[in-house]
Amino acid sequence: MNSANSLPAVGTRPELVFALVGAAGTHLDELSGVITEELSYFGYKAEEIRLSGLLKNFTEWIDKPWTSESERIKYCQTMGNRFRKQLKRGDALTLASIAEIQLRRAKSSQHAHKPATAYILNQLKHPDEVDLLRLVYGPSFLLIAAHAPKDMRIKDLAHTMARIATQPGKDHQFNSEASDVINIDEKEDDEFGQNVRDTYPKADLFVNLTQKHKIKSEVQRFVHLLFGHPFHTPSPDEYAMYHANAVSLRSSDDNRQVGAIIFSIDDPLNLHYLRKADVVAVGMNEVPRGGGGLYWKDASPDARDQALFNSHNKEDRANEIKIGALAELIEKIKGLEWFNDTISSKSASDLAIILLPNLKGTQFRDIGEFSRPVHAEMAALIDAARRGVAVDGHSMYVTTFPCHNCAKHIIASGIRRVVYLEPYPKSRAHELYHEEIALEAVPGKEEKDKVNFFAYAGIAPRQYQQLFSMSERGAKKGRSLDKWNLDKTTLAPLYVPKNASVLYLEAEREVLSSLPPEIYPLSSPNIS
């Protein structure tokens, strides 16, 4: 029997594919265990697949004894990068995981009473991996992201390294090695390198691992919603971030769409006794319009960047200013006679035009002061000011971590709490304002006289409408809470089509045709 043709038995429920993402040093094993436990209540058997373990099937892998945990991790990082480069695909390791799912499915198909199966992929390292898994498995695929502050991750990883090195109590000696591993894991300057930073925001659920007591309840609630729990409603944070995400979609900025809302809460640092929560102002990154506010679609005249930069007029004002600033620097450097004859014969402006596209990733290229759109956070503060709404003591929810320029205005405005979904590594907010900002605040341990920045935790905006829609899971479907509790082990995931396996098995076969056996040989299972 060929594993690729192994269909789940007639009448069984669809398979589910979960994946985990978290920066190095994050305790994902604990999260995997909680998912496994919660799925078991619905009659699903979970099987974990460690993606780093699949690298042993890569033809360039060499088994060898490790002198330290740091060496083992870095070797896996290196081989993962090499595997992606060999295939010229950022999603190479998920191709391997799909092959592993096929093999396991084929082996388990021998059992007459095969339970419903869920696979947990631990863990993803590249955003292309998420895109491939969503393409293949559609609504059967779910990504869970785990957050832990960087100092906590360094401490925990250093502790693990010291324990494996049989040097208990000397954790501090491994802090540097732990920090190196974490920095590599975050994002490498290579399209096929590790890139957890850009993978993380693509999740369906965000879990804050600093709140140990809430990990189980948050995962439980998410799984309950997947199986159609008839009465779970959004938290204030979920409600607010969904609005911020919706607002972001109005932006025409082709760099990124960012949304921000200012939320009025009784006590933004204590949501347990919440009596009221209101949206008081909104903003997105967009070009400001004369007379106040920002441009809307179909405005006349339309002076947004896309309207100015068209087939007849290639005007890019921010770029022109950067070229001018760079030419000025080059002219100064030329005056010091640092250039050879070939370079010095060209004008500074010509050199700037040649040089600017090659400065991607540099601080100079990322200067945002010349960008025409107002940033989302500033737009929200301006929106409140234009309508005479005080923001002192309120919360701000923003889809991307604020830049340092926005951060100073957030501090000055009296905003007390900022919740962000996507990290923004170019922000220098904490470097400039560490006296005024608590960068990775822990709920319950907020700093009173600072603006507390929190990583978002909860259902992702991309899942909000589907999971919280009562029309699909409440009384209209005849699902009272009592009936739902009685039927748990027979329920199918509410939003996964009954013919899902037909669709994803064909998709698996198609994508695996691009996994060359000379790079990653697939061994057929021995099935009688």
Side-chain angles (χ1 to χ4, degrees):
M1 178 180 177
N2 188 304
S3 64
N5 297 319
S6 302
L7 280 164
V10 175
T12 59
R13 293 176 292 166
E15 294 175 330
L16 293 172
V17 178
F18 288 82
L20 308 180
V21 60
T26 306
H27 290 301
L28 294 180
D29 289 347
E30 180 180 354
L31 189 56
S32 177
V34 173
I35 297 167
T36 299
E37 180 183 355
E38 292 306 321
L39 288 173
S40 70
Y41 299 132
F42 293 88
Y44 268 75
K45 178 187 176 184
E47 297 186 23
E48 184 178 75
I49 298 173
R50 301 188 75 91
L51 268 62
S52 59
L54 299 178
L55 283 170
K56 292 182 179 180
N57 298 326
F58 178 33
T59 52
E60 293 190 21
W61 178 274
I62 300 173
D63 279 315
K64 56 182 180 179
W66 311 111
T67 59
S68 68
E69 177 66 357
S70 173
E71 183 187 12
R72 184 194 70 79
I73 294 173
K74 287 182 178 179
Y75 184 72
C76 287
Q77 290 175 330
T78 299
M79 296 309 291
N81 292 356
R82 192 173 296 175
F83 184 37
R84 286 185 282 268
K85 286 177 181 177
Q86 281 275 21
L87 266 62
K88 294 182 173 58
R89 296 184 61 135
D91 57 12
L93 266 170
T94 45
L95 280 177
S97 70
I98 291 170
E100 181 67 16
I101 287 172
Q102 279 199 344
L103 294 174
R104 294 195 185 195
R105 183 188 299 130
K107 290 176 182 178
S108 64
S109 66
Q110 300 173 91
H111 304 294
H113 302 289
K114 177 189 174 185
T117 305
Y119 301 98
I120 301 175
L121 310 183
N122 186 357
Q123 68 164 319
L124 305 191
K125 296 288 187 180
H126 197 285
D128 289 355
E129 296 175 325
V130 183
D131 297 338
L132 178 66
L133 289 166
R134 287 207 170 114
L135 175 68
V136 173
Y137 296 106
S140 297
F141 169 70
L142 298 149
L143 178 63
I144 299 181
H147 170 78
K150 190 171 184 177
D151 58 351
M152 179 185 293
R153 290 185 281 114
I154 292 173
K155 180 181 177 181
D156 289 349
L157 187 54
H159 176 75
T160 299
M161 290 176 171
R163 177 177 53 79
I164 291 174
T166 63
Q167 296 188 46
K170 297 183 178 180
D171 299 5
H172 64 281
Q173 295 182 9
F174 294 86
N175 283 345
S176 179
E177 290 181 40
S179 185
D180 286 345
V181 166
I182 286 170
N183 290 336
I184 292 170
D185 179 78
E186 186 175 313
K187 185 173 182 178
E188 296 180 279
D189 189 19
D190 184 334
E191 65 174 313
F192 300 121
Q194 300 203 146
N195 186 356
V196 171
R197 180 196 299 158
D198 293 335
T199 309
Y200 179 94
K202 290 175 170 280
D204 298 284
L205 172 70
F206 296 89
V207 180
N208 191 336
L209 297 188
T210 62
Q211 296 180 281
K212 296 288 185 182
H213 63 289
K214 293 187 68 174
I215 296 172
K216 180 178 174 64
S217 62
E218 289 301 307
V219 172
Q220 181 185 71
R221 175 171 171 265
F222 181 62
V223 173
H224 282 189
L225 283 166
L226 294 178
F227 285 89
H229 188 286
F231 188 69
H232 273 314
T233 56
S235 69
D237 280 0
E238 289 166 337
Y239 175 75
M241 192 58 77
Y242 176 72
H243 275 279
N245 185 70
V247 167
S248 76
L249 301 182
R250 190 190 139 187
S251 169
S252 66
D253 194 325
D254 57 5
N255 290 309
R256 67 170 69 222
Q257 292 176 301
V258 182
I261 72 163
I262 298 174
F263 212 46
S264 169
I265 303 175
D266 291 334
D267 184 348
L269 301 183
N270 187 355
L271 301 182
H272 294 295
Y273 303 101
L274 186 68
R275 294 191 303 274
K276 68 180 183 68
D278 303 305
V279 176
V280 300
V282 303
M284 73 297 301
N285 53 329
E286 188 55 276
V287 177
R289 180 172 182 168
L294 311 174
Y295 282 98
W296 280 93
K297 177 183 180 297
D298 298 329
S300 181
D302 186 351
R304 292 178 295 176
D305 286 344
Q306 287 82 354
L308 297 179
F309 190 87
N310 54 45
S311 57
H312 305 293
N313 178 23
K314 300 294 185 181
E315 184 177 2
D316 186 341
R317 297 176 187 174
N319 217 48
E320 289 169 7
I321 292 172
K322 287 182 180 180
I323 287 173
L326 186 56
E328 184 179 46
L329 291 174
I330 291 171
E331 196 67 66
K332 292 287 185 181
I333 295 170
K334 285 179 70 175
L336 298 174
E337 300 181 351
W338 286 2
F339 289 139
N340 58 37
D341 292 341
T342 304
I343 296 297
S344 61
S345 65
K346 296 181 181 293
S347 71
S349 294
D350 288 342
L351 289 173
I353 292 170
I354 295 168
L355 184 57
L356 190 64
N358 296 299
L359 297 180
K360 184 178 179 181
T362 65
Q363 293 184 60
F364 179 87
R365 194 71 175 92
D366 293 331
I367 291 174
E369 279 71 14
F370 305 126
S371 177
R372 296 183 69 240
V374 176
H375 286 197
E377 302 90 328
M378 287 298 300
L381 292 172
I382 292 167
D383 182 43
R386 291 180 70 225
R387 292 189 289 108
V389 179
V391 301
D392 189 42
H394 290 348
S395 294
M396 177 179 284
Y397 290 78
V398 60
T399 56
T400 300
F401 189 95
C403 73
H404 41 277
N405 197 35
C406 286
K408 65 185 176 186
H409 293 91
I410 289 170
I411 296 164
S413 72
I415 290 288
R416 192 175 181 193
R417 176 173 176 262
V418 174
V419 180
Y420 63 93
L421 192 151
E422 183 176 348
Y424 183 53
K426 297 167 188 172
S427 177
R428 297 290 187 266
H430 192 246
E431 293 174 40
L432 292 168
Y433 304 107
H434 55 266
E435 293 91 354
E436 296 82 21
I437 289 175
L439 182 60
E440 295 188 277
V442 177
K445 298 180 180 179
E446 298 86 357
E447 297 189 46
K448 184 178 179 181
D449 296 322
K450 292 187 176 184
V451 182
N452 289 269
F453 280 62
F454 296 87
Y456 174 72
I459 304 293
R462 67 181 310 276
Q463 285 283 357
Y464 185 95
Q465 187 168 348
Q466 176 170 270
L467 293 184
F468 292 120
S469 174
M470 285 292 184
S471 63
E472 294 299 320
R473 57 188 174 90
K476 290 185 179 181
K477 297 294 180 179
R479 290 189 176 94
S480 68
L481 188 55
D482 288 342
K483 186 177 185 301
W484 183 85
N485 277 316
L486 287 173
D487 293 344
K488 265 186 184 179
T489 57
T490 62
L491 293 173
L494 194 58
Y495 301 100
V496 179
K498 291 182 179 179
N499 66 339
S501 61
V502 175
L503 301 173
Y504 63 64
L505 288 172
E506 176 58 35
E508 285 179 346
R509 287 191 287 270
E510 184 176 340
V511 299
L512 286 179
S513 63
S514 58
L515 189 60
E518 65 272 16
I519 294 176
Y520 191 92
L522 301 175
S523 56
S524 299
N526 182 18
I527 301 174
S528 56

